[in-house]
Amino acid sequence: MPFYDLYCPACDKEHNIRATMAEKATRQIPCPECGSTELETLYNAAPAYIKSAAQVPCPSSSTCGNAGCRHAS
């Protein structure tokens, strides 16, 4: 069963709830705080990880001898 990020407008709380897809589609998931079944789906952006230039080793490290050199960008 998947987890859903849901918001309850009745008690103004956000919850991460494990439920079946059928329960979510038919609004059978009760709020853990107040019991309301009028939960709304929250859509959150996935975190993005970007490798910075400082983490990329120098392609000329054998000649310059510095593994963290940034001269060959």
Side-chain angles (χ1 to χ4, degrees):
M1 283 191 290
F3 283 90
Y4 296 102
D5 290 326
L6 302 170
Y7 169 74
C8 179
C11 64
D12 195 34
K13 303 270 182 172
E14 293 180 9
H15 305 283
N16 186 278
I17 300 174
R18 184 177 177 195
T20 65
M21 293 171 66
E23 288 174 327
K24 184 174 179 299
T26 58
R27 294 187 167 260
Q28 295 177 350
I29 305 170
C31 173
E33 295 283 327
C34 68
S36 172
T37 57
E38 298 301 317
L39 301 175
E40 300 171 2
T41 303
L42 293 174
Y43 296 99
N44 299 320
Y49 296 99
I50 300 171
K51 193 171 188 178
S52 71
Q55 295 172 324
V56 178
C58 176
S60 302
S61 62
S62 61
T63 56
C64 72
N66 186 355
C69 181
R70 296 178 60 181
H71 78 272
S73 327

